[in-house]
Amino acid sequence: MRCDYCGAQAKVYVPHQGIRLCVNCFKKNVVSRVEEEVYRFNMLDPSDTVLMGISGGKDSFVLLDVLSRLHDPSKLIALTIIEGIPGYNRQDELDFVKKATMERGVEHIVVSFKDAVGLSLSELVNLGNEKRLGISACTFCGIIRRRIINYYARQLGASKTATAHNLDDEAQTLLINIFRGDTSKLVRQHPLAPVPSKKLVKRIKPLRKIYEWEAATYAYYSGYRFQSVECPYIIYQPTVRARIRRWMIMMENEEPGIILRLLNSFDEVVSQRLISKSGSTLLLNECKNCGEPTSPGREYCKTCELLMKIGVIKS
Ligand code: SF4
Ligand code: ZN
Ligand code: ZN
């Protein structure tokens, strides 16, 4: 089997494009599709300093590798967040990220939940459980991670933050927002959506048109070491997302390209006019406790609300 681009031995079949590629051409194909997406939505300016959330997972490794090819590595900062999950945040994974960032000339910083809010994720979860609040670990994790990334981006003078969400993640979120009828979140998901607060740093998702399997394959052929340990809280991930994910994979297997077409249709339907119309009505408040942005109509940000619920701070 020969590579459709260069004639070398093919290693990867890309069903949504109907092509067989060698490892080199496959990696070039991924990088050029990310570049195209970055260009299409004007995600990066050469002057941008970008703070990337680099967890050490495969997608974040791909984000680091691809962005350091497309942007000046001295203007990239990798931020690893240590949630504080016993048995999960391991030193050897952190060492791997340190090495990978150093090899690419990217600055690397590490921040823990404990540094940011005074407690590790497991301590937060335990306090919530003691009070029988029914708050899942993933809720704490998602809200506090977003807060840390935005806060450190501001502190470090970054003009953009970049996350490693892939096509599967984005398509799942899109369908969840549609099923919930949450049109405001739906519009905010679009790469051209305006930033609704001066305190929010613009977030970009360069891998939003790269399938999860493509990111995994790219990582594999780039020397990434897959983690053998899964987060113990993964069983608490929202079931709706997990169901949509299973359904999407089944549909994609039957009709390759279906997930990509879904996101492309979203990009076409949500026009710039619609975004500026909805964006102008959405200006965030500032939290009464910490001053961070929060949704209109709320007094406190989600992080402070959670910390109040578990009794760590007073209202
Ligand atoms: Fe955080 Fe949940 Fe992912 Fe674990 S599974 S890292 S708790 S979001
Ligand atoms: Zn080739
Ligand atoms: Zn707050």
Side-chain angles (χ1 to χ4, degrees), residues 23 56 70 73 115 131 135 190 225 242 253 255 265 286 303:
V23 170
L70 299 179
D115 299 330
K131 290 192 177 331
I135 305 170
H190 196 279
R225 279 195 341 234
N253 285 340
E255 210 178 311
S265 305
E286 286 190 6
T303 302

Side-chain angles (χ1 to χ4, degrees), residues 147 287-293 299-305 313:
R147 148 74 149 257
C287 170
K288 268 171 67 181
N289 182 55
C290 69
E292 290 296 309
E299 282 189 298
Y300 298 102
C301 69
K302 284 186 180 167
T303 302
C304 287
E305 271 183 13
I313 55 173

Side-chain angles (χ1 to χ4, degrees), residues 29-185:
N29 177 285
V30 169
V31 174
S32 73
R33 281 165 45 217
V34 174
E35 189 173 18
E36 209 177 288
E37 190 71 3
V38 164
Y39 181 75
R40 176 180 302 146
F41 292 114
N42 200 16
M43 288 185 199
L44 280 176
D45 183 89
S47 65
D48 275 328
T49 297
V50 186
L51 182 79
M52 304 175 289
I54 303 296
S55 63
K58 66 176 190 321
D59 297 325
S60 71
F61 173 79
V62 176
L63 179 72
L64 168 69
D65 188 79
V66 175
L67 270 201
S68 62
R69 290 167 195 267
L70 299 179
H71 199 67
D72 178 354
S74 70
K75 290 194 171 127
L76 295 174
I77 307 168
L79 171 71
T80 303
I81 299 172
I82 306 289
E83 296 91 353
I85 306 171
Y88 180 60
N89 296 131
R90 295 178 323 168
Q91 188 59 41
D92 49 347
E93 263 113 40
L94 192 58
D95 291 343
F96 179 76
V97 177
K98 273 200 180 104
K99 188 168 168 279
T101 48
M102 211 191 313
E103 281 169 357
R104 289 162 180 81
V106 172
E107 184 187 349
H108 180 222
I109 55 173
V110 182
V111 176
S112 69
F113 270 36
K114 218 160 183 132
D115 299 330
V117 294
L119 293 169
S120 69
L121 179 59
S122 355
E123 287 167 341
L124 291 163
V125 172
N126 291 344
L127 279 176
N129 288 346
E130 276 169 24
K131 290 192 177 331
R132 298 178 191 279
L133 293 173
I135 305 170
S136 85
C138 299
T139 302
F140 282 114
C141 191
I143 289 173
I144 295 172
R145 266 200 306 213
R146 271 197 298 279
R147 148 74 149 257
I148 293 175
I149 291 178
N150 189 62
Y151 177 82
Y152 277 88
R154 275 203 332 257
Q155 295 303 310
L156 297 164
S159 45
K160 303 268 167 67
T161 64
T163 58
H165 293 90
N166 59 43
L167 174 56
D168 299 54
D169 300 325
E170 282 298 278
Q172 288 154 23
T173 304
L174 176 61
L175 285 190
I176 290 170
N177 288 336
I178 291 173
F179 292 155
R180 287 189 180 144
D182 195 336
T183 47
S184 140
K185 263 197 185 160

Side-chain angles (χ1 to χ4, degrees), residues 3-8 21-26:
C3 171
D4 287 329
Y5 287 176
C6 74
L21 298 175
C22 68
V23 170
N24 259 345
C25 291
F26 171 73

Side-chain angles (χ1 to χ4, degrees), residues 276-312:
S276 47
K277 224 172 104 192
S278 62
S280 60
T281 58
L282 207 152
L283 273 179
L284 299 184
N285 285 346
E286 286 190 6
C287 170
K288 268 171 67 181
N289 182 55
C290 69
E292 290 296 309
T294 187
S295 313
R298 291 178 101 109
E299 282 189 298
Y300 298 102
C301 69
K302 284 186 180 167
T303 302
C304 287
E305 271 183 13
L306 281 177
L307 296 176
M308 281 170 196
K309 276 186 189 162
I310 61 170
V312 172

